[in-house]
């Protein structure tokens, strides 16, 4: 299954969040902060987030993987794990 | 020849600002085509024309605030339909050419234009490569640059923070007026039921498994679908209280309460929601909510809701006891979907569940009807395969 390197994963996550919340301060969003609550992402926003990350990284994300996509750090770990 | 007038986009709107013309004199338009962008206290809304015809004179230049009902443009209806090309050559040529605003030399989204006005940014200097329209984020970025970086053109004497605050205040004032009236005039009663979402979530998981991300259905779509079916079977809750009497809706048109980033609410409408499949409803919901948040809704998409649904989602509180949006007679609320203890056949298990509430107008119905509605919502959610 396709994985990406951590830097690429991080960029994809930040880009996807900015696409939904253009004025989000992704830089100062902590790596371990649950971003859905922090950025007020509802289920439709989250779907858009997953869609964008998939498109940018080519990594397949199933619904069963959603619980792993809670913080920037957990997203990067999921997207880049071997 | 008829007039295209400033529409009322909600009973609480008495004036609006014409932001942008999407057509020019001489353009042929068809019923339902968006012809102008109008700013209400809530959002920039694309307004559609109600008949086929040819655009005549534009009577109101962009930036003008007028009362509801004021003619904005003339539409020559005789130039429509089967008329031969010879019959309408240049006939509707405008007698007065309304000057296009100088700022329209650059393509830009309505939201970007509004922001540019509010923030005092010269949008003409923000052209994007390839003729792409200027976006709100481009305007925001330009506004944050130091003044030296901004072209020294004649700046509008606007005060950005107060302009933004005014808009926000105006939306709050609209909500305040409407909700105060609701609480004053409507004798609310409230009911609630806890609903086991085990079957619905299981069905959803299987349904979504083979689907690409873009087509996956979120639980909110199932909750809306169940509400639409329950409303169709409980017409006493689906309609309006007007002139001391109840008028049933001409279909199930669900307003979906949508929170906007930066505060405020919009309620775009899923028309004939009881006739949409789960997948179709999901696609429509996603489209509406996305555009509600980017300021690209059309007037028809905010009109004639018969029942409002508010869904707190999985980040929200456990339940919501809402305020009815007059002249509607009920509001359905869904709290957060979460795993909770659930008694099944004498045993305690853990199930995903939600609390569904109904706020209803006691003038129109009693608790018996409201209870029947909630029971129907529950029933439909226990049989997701039939949704």
């Amino acid at each position: 299954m396709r994985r990406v390197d951590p830097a690429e994963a991080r960029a994809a996550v930040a880009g996807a969040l900015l696409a939904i919340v253009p004025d989000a301060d992704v830089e100062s969003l902590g790596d371990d902060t649950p971003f859905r609550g922090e950025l007020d992402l509802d289920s439709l926003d989250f779907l858009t987030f997953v869609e964008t990350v998939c498109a940018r990284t080519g990594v397949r994300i199933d619904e069963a993987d959603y619980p792993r996509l809670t913080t920037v750090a957990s997203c990067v770990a999921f997207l880049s794990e071997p | 020849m008829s007039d295209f007038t400033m529409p009322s986009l909600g009973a609480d709107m008495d004036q609006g600002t014409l932001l942008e013309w999407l057509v020019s004199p001489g353009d042929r338009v068809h019923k339902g085509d968006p012809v102008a962008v109008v700013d209400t206290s809530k959002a920039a809304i694309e307004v559609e024309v109600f008949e086929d015809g040819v655009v005549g004179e534009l009577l109101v230049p962009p930036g003008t605030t007028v009362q509801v009902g004021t003619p904005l443009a003339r539409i020559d209806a005789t130039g429509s339909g089967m008329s031969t090309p010879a019959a309408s050559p240049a006939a509707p040529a405008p007698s007065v050419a309304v000057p296009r605003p100088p700022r329209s030399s650059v393509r830009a989204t309505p939201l970007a234009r509004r922001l540019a006005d509010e923030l005092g940014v010269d949008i003409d200097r923000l052209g994007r490569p390839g003729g792409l329209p200027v976006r709100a984020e481009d305007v925001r970025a330009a506004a944050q640059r130091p003044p030296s970086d901004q072209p020294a053109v004649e700046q509008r004497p606007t005060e950005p923070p107060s302009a933004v605050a005014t808009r926000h205040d105006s939306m709050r004032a609209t909500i305040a007026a409407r909700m105060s009236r609701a609480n004053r005039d409507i004798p609310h009663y409230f009911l609630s039921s806890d609903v086991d979402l085990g079957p619905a979530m299981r069905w959803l998981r299987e349904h979504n498994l083979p689907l690409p991300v873009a087509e996956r259905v979120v639980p909110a779509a199932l909750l809306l679908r169940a509400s639409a079916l329950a409303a169709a079977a409980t017409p006493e809750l689906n309609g309006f209280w007007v002139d001391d009497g109840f008028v049933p809706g001409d279909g199930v048109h669900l307003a979906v309460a949508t929170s906007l980033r930066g505060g405020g609410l919009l309620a775009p409408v899923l028309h004939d929601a009881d006739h949409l499949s789960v997948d179709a409803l999901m696609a429509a919901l996603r489209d509406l909510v996305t555009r509600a948040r980017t300021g690209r809704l059309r007037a028809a998409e905010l009109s004639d809701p018969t029942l409002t649904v508010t869904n707190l989602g999985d980040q929200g509180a456990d339940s919501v006891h809402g305020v009815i949006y007059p002249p509607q007679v009920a509001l359905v609320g869904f709290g957060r979907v979460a795993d909770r203890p659930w008694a099944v056949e004498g045993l305690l298990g853990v199930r995903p569940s939600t609390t569904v509430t109904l706020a209803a107008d006691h003038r129109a119905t009693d608790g018996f009807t409201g209870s029947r509605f909630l029971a129907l919502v529950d029933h439909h959610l226990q049989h997701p395969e039939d949704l």
Side-chain angles (χ1 to χ4, degrees):
Chain A
M1 195 178 293
R2 177 180 158 76
R3 295 293 169 195
V4 294
D5 71 62
E8 192 183 338
R10 182 172 290 276
V13 169
L17 291 176
L18 277 174
I20 302 164
V21 189
D23 53 357
D25 191 353
V26 176
E27 294 291 312
S28 66
L29 182 72
D31 256 21
D32 298 312
T33 307
F35 53 73
R36 286 197 58 181
E38 192 68 20
L39 299 177
D40 287 330
L41 302 191
D42 67 15
S43 57
L44 296 173
D45 293 327
F46 187 70
L47 191 66
T48 304
F49 171 77
V50 173
E51 192 181 3
T52 313
V53 169
C54 275
R56 291 191 184 197
T57 61
V59 174
R60 180 194 162 101
I61 304 177
D62 290 318
E63 275 195 331
D65 302 320
Y66 288 3
R68 299 195 55 189
L69 307 177
T70 54
T71 68
V72 173
S74 74
C75 287
V76 171
F78 169 77
L79 294 167
S80 57
E81 76 186 1
Chain B
M1 185 74 75
S2 65
D3 287 338
F4 169 68
T5 60
M6 175 62 75
S8 175
L9 307 170
D12 45 2
M13 172 176 162
D14 50 15
Q15 61 179 27
T17 304
L18 184 93
L19 285 180
E20 183 182 1
W21 281 111
L22 302 174
V23 294
S24 304
D27 286 356
R28 181 170 295 275
V29 290
H30 297 284
K31 183 183 175 188
D33 286 350
V35 295
V37 182
V38 167
D39 197 21
T40 69
S41 61
K42 293 172 183 164
I45 305 294
E46 288 185 358
V47 180
E48 308 94 325
V49 68
F50 290 105
E51 59 188 333
D52 293 351
V54 172
V55 177
E57 190 181 348
L58 302 182
L59 303 167
V60 171
T64 315
T65 300
V66 297
Q67 296 297 307
V68 165
T70 306
L72 299 176
R74 305 236 186 264
I75 305 290
D76 180 8
T78 60
S80 68
M82 306 300 294
S83 62
T84 61
S88 59
S95 52
V96 178
V98 173
R100 298 282 288 180
R103 57 184 183 153
S104 67
S105 58
V106 162
R107 288 182 64 209
T109 66
L111 180 62
R113 283 194 194 286
R114 199 175 70 227
L115 269 176
D117 273 354
E118 287 173 354
L119 300 175
V121 171
D122 180 8
I123 205 160
D124 281 344
R125 300 299 186 102
L126 300 180
R128 296 180 63 216
L132 288 170
V134 176
R135 300 159 305 177
E137 60 199 87
D138 302 321
V139 175
R140 287 198 191 92
Q144 279 162 9
R145 271 179 232 139
S148 62
D149 198 21
Q150 276 233 357
V153 291
E154 69 288 15
Q155 289 263 330
R156 284 167 184 249
T158 49
E159 290 157 3
S162 69
V164 173
T166 301
R167 179 178 182 77
H168 182 258
D169 288 351
S170 143
M171 181 182 258
R172 281 262 51 101
T174 302
I175 295 173
R178 182 55 72 97
M179 294 296 106
S180 299
R181 189 185 134 202
N183 265 337
R184 187 189 67 223
D185 294 349
I186 302 177
H188 286 67
Y189 70 89
F190 301 99
L191 305 172
S192 77
S193 289
D194 293 336
V195 176
D196 175 7
L197 290 181
M201 299 301 270
R202 208 157 38 238
W203 180 87
L204 210 51
R205 210 157 37 238
E206 283 164 24
H207 179 80
N208 285 340
L209 202 53
L211 296 179
V213 183
E215 291 168 31
R216 288 177 196 165
V217 176
V218 300
L222 287 190
L223 304 179
L224 283 163
R225 175 79 182 135
S227 303
L229 293 175
T234 321
E236 308 95 304
L237 290 169
N238 183 65
F240 316 99
W241 186 262
V242 197
D243 298 333
D244 295 325
F246 176 71
V247 179
D250 63 348
V252 176
H253 310 311
L254 294 186
V256 183
T258 303
S259 61
L260 304 180
R261 300 194 190 292
L265 278 173
L266 269 184
V269 182
L270 290 164
H271 287 103
D272 296 310
D274 55 328
H275 293 299
L276 295 176
S277 69
V278 167
D279 288 323
L281 191 151
M282 175 65 200
L285 173 71
R286 200 165 176 218
D287 177 47
L288 278 180
V289 170
T290 303
R291 283 186 298 112
R293 289 180 174 149
T294 53
R296 298 262 22 176
L297 282 178
R298 292 191 186 171
E301 293 166 339
L302 283 170
S303 66
D304 307 323
T306 56
L307 178 66
T308 297
V309 180
T310 182
N311 177 16
L312 298 181
D314 42 10
Q315 304 288 307
D318 285 342
S319 66
V320 50
H321 300 268
V323 179
I324 298 165
Y325 203 86
Q328 294 165 48
V329 297
L331 179 137
V332 185
F334 290 94
R336 180 164 52 105
V337 177
D339 287 342
R340 295 188 177 87
W342 196 268
V344 193
E345 293 170 5
L347 290 173
L348 197 56
V350 174
R351 297 288 181 92
S353 70
T354 187
T355 300
V356 51
T357 55
L358 180 78
D361 186 335
H362 227 322
R363 296 172 300 183
T365 58
D366 302 313
F368 176 80
T369 306
S371 296
R372 188 153 52 88
F373 176 87
L374 290 183
L376 282 167
V377 171
D378 187 352
H379 171 82
H380 286 301
L381 289 169
Q382 301 318 310
H383 302 279
E385 66 283 358
D386 298 333
L387 278 174

